[in-house]
């Protein structure tokens, strides 16, 4: 993915958002062979998801490195584009002049969600808002930070 690409920039924002929680630290590397997590785009209209994280070895591990998980995050531009989001928001009551902001926020939440999977989080089924709920569109929440801390035995 090219550095000027919208999804590339949004993923960088998602990494920063997770870093700002203090629960996990992502660092971008220049060479793919140095990466613990790979992000790519799949460009497939037949896969009706905006993003999917594949984790090759879904074994719980101790420590703050995701290298044991070997995750690959696939973002799907076929479903991460303004026309698709406009269709989704059509009946939501969001004013037309807010669509771009809603699109940016929704795309960022997707990237934050997929990064959550990459570090070992599962879909959240609780009552609280969470970035790990399917199709929630909300940013990282306190419950997400608590779940990362619990997963990596970091305490509160």
């Amino acid at each position: 993915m090219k550095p000027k690409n919208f999804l590339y920039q949004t993923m960088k924002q998602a990494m920063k958002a997770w870093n700002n929680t203090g629960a996990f630290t992502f660092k971008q590397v220049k060479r793919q062979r140095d990466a613990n997590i790979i992000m790519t785009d799949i460009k497939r209209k037949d896969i009706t998801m905006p993003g999917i994280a594949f984790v090759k070895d879904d074994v719980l591990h101790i420590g703050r490195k995701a290298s044991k998980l070997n995750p690959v995050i696939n973002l799907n531009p076929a479903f991460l584009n303004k026309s698709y989001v406009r269709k989704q928001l059509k009946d939501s009551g969001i004013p037309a002049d807010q669509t771009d902001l809603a699109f940016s926020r929704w795309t960022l939440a997707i990237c934050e969600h997929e990064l959550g999977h990459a570090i070992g989080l599962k879909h959240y089924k609780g009552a609280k808002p969470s970035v790990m709920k399917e199709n929630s569109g909300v940013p990282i929440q306190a419950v997400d930070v608590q779940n990362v801390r619990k997963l990596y035995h970091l305490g509160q």
Side-chain angles (χ1 to χ4, degrees), residues 25-140:
T25 303
F26 290 98
K27 183 178 130 191
Q28 186 175 354
V29 295
K30 293 190 185 288
R31 297 180 310 209
Q32 183 172 326
R33 70 175 185 244
D34 296 333
N36 293 325
I37 299 171
I38 306 296
M39 194 244 345
T40 187
D41 55 2
I42 54 176
K43 299 177 185 168
R44 301 238 338 240
K45 291 184 181 182
D46 61 319
I47 298 175
T48 58
M49 292 184 277
I52 186 166
F54 294 105
V55 180
K56 296 175 187 170
D57 179 16
D58 198 19
V59 175
L60 180 65
H61 62 283
I62 308 300
R64 292 180 70 154
K65 290 188 177 181
S67 60
K68 291 185 181 179
L69 293 173
N70 300 312
V72 175
I73 297 172
N74 295 277
L75 299 176
N76 193 353
F79 292 89
L80 287 170
N81 61 61
K82 289 182 184 180
S83 62
Y84 175 78
V85 174
R86 280 193 182 102
K87 285 182 207 170
Q88 301 303 307
L89 297 174
K90 186 177 177 185
D91 299 322
S92 69
I94 294 175
D97 64 341
Q98 298 285 315
T99 303
D100 286 348
L101 179 60
F103 168 70
S104 295
R105 179 60 248 162
W106 185 76
T107 305
L108 180 57
I110 295 294
C111 291
E112 291 169 354
H113 177 95
E114 297 307 332
L115 281 171
H117 282 312
I119 61 176
L121 295 178
K122 306 286 186 214
H123 284 142
Y124 180 72
K125 307 278 189 221
K128 296 177 182 178
S130 167
V131 75
M132 295 312 297
K133 282 191 175 182
E134 290 186 81
N135 302 315
S136 71
V138 301
I140 300 164

Side-chain angles (χ1 to χ4, degrees), residues 136-154:
S136 71
V138 301
I140 300 164
Q141 302 292 306
V143 70
D144 303 311
V145 174
Q146 290 169 355
N147 287 337
V148 170
R149 290 186 179 284
K150 190 185 315 178
L151 181 66
Y152 290 93
H153 307 285
L154 298 175

Side-chain angles (χ1 to χ4, degrees), residues 9-27:
Q9 293 300 322
T10 305
M11 186 56 79
K12 282 182 68 171
Q13 289 177 333
M15 289 168 55
K16 184 177 180 180
W18 273 110
N19 290 352
N20 287 342
T21 70
F24 204 89
T25 303
F26 290 98
K27 183 178 130 191

